[in-house]
């Protein structure tokens, strides 16, 4: 509705602008030539009136156009954000955060500018061209032909440059995405950069990439400069031809001086929209690239439930049946089968890259299990036929590197709750062995943790993540090496507290440290994406295999 209103008032601006040249013609050919000076004040008043009406309509056009553009951008960003929130974990792994942000900012702005500055002007441009040519034909068809010869030339030049400008802008857009990704990574990992003294190397990398970005923009500017210089030359030649030939016709007596001035004014009005038409065509190429980049996000497949999926509470034995998974055509796990009985604690051990975390991502359906690659059931229910909300509500996962949002400790702990329960927050904090730490802080639970929890240590962040998960009281708890940053004593205390507070919950503990899983009811050892050993701590020691060797290494048994 805003754009339609803007188009309407844009047309009124064109109409009022087209009236004034007729009034000027009347002043020259009737008032001045025939010396009817008593009519001059009325004619001047008419010019002022129409100019004022054009100014009012132009204000309304600009205001409604701007309002429409901002509403459009808001809707666009809301849709993009909603879409990105529903895209699968694997999609985010294969697309850099910096590039996604760049698509949602620069590309959205490019489309907004095209619509607000060029698309809405298209109606006005079309009207100006049609009416100007019609009025010029009535004055002198021959002179109109001289003016009109240049119009198809400008349009053809614009089309000729269209593809080149679009290709160059695509390179600029992609380069900006890479630059944004590098900046985002460095700002996020500034502590790592400082800790390893990588400032110079990272600066050199940024400067090099920024130089490439600058060169890419320079190439685009060079192309645009040639385009605009050429268009300016053709426009200048058109004005020169009209003024020269029109002056000859005026001296020859074919047209009156007022008609000549009126024709020149209409021609100047025609030159602007024809030039703008060329610019619209060139900007269309840039906007088209931005639309393609946003279309990539909007057309990406979102996480969704199958048609026969059910929303239900999941509880019971967890069974992996001949599960295989490949990431980017590289096998991560192969033909894995095991059972986690309801209420028991299972430990999973294995060297880096053995597939421990992948198993848990499959359990939470962060990665989809392809057809023919086995199946995973919870309480006999195939998770591929279970609603995602049911799975995520039934399973709580604590990652090795938890992510905390900017805010207070209390806000982060109660992040899954609509209304924070003070009593429950204190209870889970105690279980996660955080109470003493929080009490030492000046502001306690109101302590601001900073972006990504930067003000907390690794162990403190892991314990906050455990408290977050306990707030939900899930039936299944997964700890993905989530106690790696705490000392052995705190690790033991947290495990003891969890065993006491969550007796009925099924717990899966992924660890590199055997002390974290030594008391587990069942231990699974992975090696190269396969189950190498399983059993209790004592049984695995007797086998003298991988588990036994790791145990001896960690307890200085050799």
């Amino acid at each position: 509705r805003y754009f339609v209103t803007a188009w309407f008032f844009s047309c009124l601006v064109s109409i009022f602008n087209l009236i004034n040249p007729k009034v000027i013609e009347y002043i020259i050919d009737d008032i001045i030539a025939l010396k009817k000076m008593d009519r001059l004040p009325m004619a001047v008043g008419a010019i002022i009136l129409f100019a004022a009406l054009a100014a009012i309509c132009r204000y309304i056009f600009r205001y409604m156009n701007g309002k429409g553009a901002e509403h459009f951008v808001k809707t666009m960003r809301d849709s993009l954000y909603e879409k990105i929130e529903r895209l699968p974990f694997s999609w985010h792994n294969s697309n850099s955060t910096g590039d996604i942000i760049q698509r949602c900012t620069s590309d959205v702005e490019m489309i907004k500018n095209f619509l607000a500055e060029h698309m809405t002007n298209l109606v006005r441009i079309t009207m100006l061209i049609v009416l100007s040519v019609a009025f010029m034909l009535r004055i002198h068809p021959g002179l109109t032909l001289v003016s009109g010869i240049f119009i198809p030339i400008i349009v053809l030049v614009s089309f000729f440059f269209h593809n080149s400008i679009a290709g160059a802008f695509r390179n600029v857009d992609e380069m900006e995405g890479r630059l944004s990704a590098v900046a985002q990574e460095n700002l996020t990992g500034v502590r790592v950069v400082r800790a390893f003294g990588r400032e110079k190397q990272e600066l050199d990398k940024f400067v090099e990439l920024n130089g490439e970005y600058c060169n890419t923009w320079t190439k685009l500017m060079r192309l645009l400069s040639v385009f605009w210089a050429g268009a300016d030359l053709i426009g200048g030649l058109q004005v020169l031809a009209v003024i020269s030939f029109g002056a000859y016709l005026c001296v020859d007596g074919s047209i009156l001086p007022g008609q000549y001035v009126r024709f020149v004014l209409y021609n100047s009005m025609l030159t602007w929209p024809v030039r703008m038409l060329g610019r619209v065509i060139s900007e269309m190429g840039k906007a088209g690239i931005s639309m393609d980049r946003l279309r990539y996000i909007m057309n990406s497949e979102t996480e969704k439930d199958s048609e026969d999926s059910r929303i239900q509470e999941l509880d019971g034995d967890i069974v992996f049946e001949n599960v295989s998974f490949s990431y980017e055509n590289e096998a991560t796990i192969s033909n894995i089968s095991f059972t986690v009985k309801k209420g028991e604690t299972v430990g999973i051990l294995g060297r880096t890259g053995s597939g421990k975390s992948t198993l848990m991502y499959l359990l939470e359906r962060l990665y989809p299990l392809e057809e023919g690659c086995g199946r995973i059931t919870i309480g006999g229910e195939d998770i591929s036929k279970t609603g995602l909300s049911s799975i995520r509500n039934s399973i709580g996962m604590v990652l090795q590197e938890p992510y905390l949002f900017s805010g207070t400790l209390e806000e982060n702990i109660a992040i899954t709750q609509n209304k924070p329960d003070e009593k429950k927050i204190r209870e889970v904090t105690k279980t996660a062995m955080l109470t003493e730490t929080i009490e030492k802080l000046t502001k306690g639970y109101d302590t601001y943790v900073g972006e990504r929890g930067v003000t907390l240590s690794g162990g403190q962040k892991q314990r906050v993540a455990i408290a977050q998960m306990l707030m939900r009281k899930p039936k299944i708890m997964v700890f993905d090496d989530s106690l790696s940053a705490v000392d052995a004593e705190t690790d033991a205390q947290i495990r003891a507290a969890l065993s006491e507070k969550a007796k009925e919950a099924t717990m899966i503990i992924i660890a590199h440290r055997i002390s974290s899983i030594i008391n587990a009811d069942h231990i699974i050892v992975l090696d190269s994406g396969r189950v190498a050993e399983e059993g209790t701590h004592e049984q695995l020691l007797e086998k003298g295999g991988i588990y036994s060797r790791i145990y001896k290494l960690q307890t200085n048994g050799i």
Side-chain angles (χ1 to χ4, degrees):
R1 65 185 181 275
Y2 297 119
F3 283 138
V4 170
T5 306
W7 289 336
F8 173 73
F9 281 95
S10 174
C11 292
L12 288 181
V13 171
S14 300
I15 290 170
F16 289 133
N17 285 339
L18 287 165
I19 292 173
N20 272 338
K22 179 64 178 174
V23 179
I24 292 170
E25 178 195 3
Y26 173 73
I27 291 172
I28 295 171
D29 289 341
D30 287 274
I31 296 176
I32 296 176
L34 302 177
K35 299 182 179 180
K36 299 177 180 178
M37 301 308 292
D38 57 316
R39 298 182 184 180
L40 185 60
M42 184 181 296
V44 172
I47 291 175
I48 295 171
L49 174 64
F50 290 128
L53 289 172
I56 292 168
C57 291
R58 188 176 289 108
Y59 165 77
I60 297 172
F61 158 67
R62 289 292 178 190
Y63 175 74
M64 299 305 288
N65 194 40
K67 195 169 183 179
E70 291 307 320
H71 275 264
F72 174 79
V73 166
K74 181 185 180 302
T75 304
M76 205 177 207
R77 285 181 180 148
D78 288 344
S79 299
L80 280 166
Y81 195 82
E82 181 189 4
K83 179 74 175 187
I84 290 169
E85 286 285 283
R86 296 187 291 113
L87 288 171
F89 186 61
S90 55
W91 187 90
H92 287 279
N93 280 346
S94 55
N95 290 276
S96 71
T97 304
D99 184 60
I100 296 170
I101 292 172
Q102 195 267 341
R103 290 173 191 253
C104 295
T105 51
S106 296
D107 286 317
V108 168
E109 282 297 313
M110 175 57 66
I111 295 171
K112 182 196 88 169
N113 290 337
F114 174 72
L115 287 173
E117 298 298 326
H118 304 291
M119 202 66 184
T120 51
N121 273 326
L122 198 57
V123 176
R124 185 182 172 196
I125 289 169
T126 304
M127 173 172 280
L128 276 173
I129 291 174
V130 172
L131 292 179
S132 294
V133 170
F135 292 156
M136 288 161 71
L137 281 169
R138 292 185 63 183
I139 296 170
H140 197 283
L143 191 55
T144 305
L145 181 62
V146 172
S147 174
I149 287 173
F150 293 89
I151 295 176
I153 297 174
I154 293 175
V155 174
L156 285 173
V157 168
S158 300
F159 273 112
F160 175 77
F161 278 92
H162 176 270
N163 290 334
S164 300
I165 291 171
F169 184 76
R170 181 188 293 276
N171 294 334
V172 166
D173 224 16
E174 291 174 352
M175 187 61 69
E176 186 179 352
R178 288 173 58 192
L179 193 66
S180 298
V182 170
Q184 185 266 335
E185 285 175 358
N186 274 272
L187 290 172
T188 304
V190 64
R191 287 191 299 173
V192 177
V193 173
R194 293 286 177 83
F196 288 94
R198 293 275 306 174
E199 292 93 341
K200 186 180 184 304
Q201 291 86 343
E202 292 300 324
L203 177 61
D204 289 345
K205 182 168 70 173
F206 181 85
V207 168
E208 182 183 354
L209 196 61
N210 197 24
E212 291 180 31
Y213 176 57
C214 179
N215 291 335
T216 309
W217 254 117
T218 303
K219 290 177 183 177
L220 175 59
M221 289 300 103
R222 188 183 300 125
L223 192 63
L224 287 172
S225 298
V226 172
F227 169 66
W228 285 114
D232 282 343
L233 177 62
I234 297 168
L237 290 173
Q238 183 206 35
V239 172
L240 178 63
V242 167
I243 290 176
S244 302
F245 189 52
Y248 170 78
L249 292 174
C250 188
V251 172
D252 189 52
S254 299
I255 57 174
L256 296 172
Q259 290 179 316
Y260 171 61
V261 172
R262 180 185 171 198
F263 192 97
V264 170
L265 289 173
Y266 282 145
N267 183 67
S268 65
M269 290 182 185
L270 180 65
T271 303
W272 174 82
V274 170
R275 291 281 311 283
M276 281 301 296
L277 190 62
R279 185 171 182 181
V280 167
I281 293 169
S282 67
E283 292 294 319
M284 192 184 297
K286 295 195 282 187
I289 298 302
S290 293
M291 281 192 255
D292 285 341
R293 285 169 59 78
L294 295 185
R295 192 180 292 117
Y296 167 73
I297 295 176
M298 297 304 293
N299 288 347
S300 296
E301 195 72 25
T302 56
E303 277 190 324
K304 58 185 177 182
D305 297 324
S306 58
E307 294 180 0
D308 57 347
S309 64
R310 297 181 295 278
I311 304 298
Q312 58 194 327
E313 187 175 352
L314 294 175
D315 195 14
D317 295 352
I318 301 169
V319 181
F320 280 71
E321 298 179 13
N322 304 314
V323 174
S324 298
F325 180 77
S326 298
Y327 182 69
E328 294 184 351
N329 300 319
E330 184 178 342
T332 306
I333 56 175
S334 303
N335 201 33
I336 282 184
S337 297
F338 63 84
T339 299
V340 178
K341 294 194 175 296
K342 177 184 176 181
E344 76 174 0
T345 298
V346 171
I348 300 179
L349 186 73
R351 61 169 63 102
T352 302
S354 58
K356 305 184 298 298
S357 296
T358 301
L359 286 176
M360 298 307 103
Y361 293 154
L362 290 171
L363 179 63
E364 273 223 347
R365 272 182 63 188
L366 291 174
Y367 288 141
L369 192 58
E370 300 293 334
E371 191 76 28
C373 292
R375 73 175 192 145
I376 303 170
T377 61
I378 301 176
E381 297 289 340
D382 192 332
I383 65 169
S384 64
K385 297 178 181 177
T386 304
L388 282 166
S389 59
S390 297
I391 295 171
R392 307 279 162 80
N393 288 331
S394 300
I395 303 172
M397 182 180 283
V398 184
L399 302 176
Q400 181 181 2
E401 296 180 8
Y403 188 100
L404 302 185
F405 291 88
S406 298
T408 65
L409 270 172
E410 183 172 278
E411 288 169 346
N412 272 281
I413 292 170
I415 197 167
T416 59
Q417 310 296 308
N418 293 325
K419 275 191 174 183
D421 184 333
E422 298 291 334
K423 184 180 177 182
K424 194 173 180 182
I425 290 172
R426 269 55 177 181
E427 184 181 323
V428 299
T429 302
K430 185 178 179 182
T431 304
M433 297 296 153
L434 259 177
T435 305
E436 186 178 341
T437 300
I438 293 173
E439 286 175 350
K440 290 179 181 178
L441 298 171
T442 308
K443 295 185 179 180
Y445 286 90
D446 293 326
T447 301
Y448 188 79
V449 298
E451 187 179 9
R452 298 174 67 92
V454 70
T455 57
L456 301 179
S457 68
Q460 289 169 339
K461 284 195 285 187
Q462 287 184 338
R463 282 178 281 163
V464 171
I466 291 171
Q468 284 178 341
M469 188 258 290
L470 292 173
M471 286 291 290
R472 294 170 50 200
K473 288 187 177 178
K475 299 287 185 180
I476 300 166
M477 298 182 183
V478 178
F479 300 87
D480 188 0
D481 210 11
S482 52
L483 295 171
S484 59
V486 301
D487 58 86
E489 184 180 351
T490 306
D491 181 355
Q493 290 174 346
I494 293 173
R495 283 187 284 107
L498 286 170
S499 298
E500 179 64 28
K501 295 290 183 180
K503 292 179 181 178
E504 297 181 1
T506 303
M507 280 193 271
I508 301 174
I509 302 173
I510 297 173
H512 288 98
R513 195 163 56 192
I514 282 183
S515 60
S516 298
I517 59 173
I518 197 169
N519 295 318
D521 302 309
H522 183 202
I523 299 171
I524 299 168
V525 181
L526 297 182
D527 185 39
S528 301
R530 297 177 181 273
V531 176
E533 300 171 353
E534 57 180 316
T536 63
H537 170 68
E538 291 76 15
Q539 290 170 343
L540 292 172
L541 285 180
E542 288 178 8
K543 288 182 180 179
I546 297 172
Y547 183 88
S548 178
R549 290 199 301 273
I550 295 173
Y551 177 76
K552 288 177 181 178
L553 284 169
Q554 291 186 5
T555 57
N556 296 319
I558 56 171

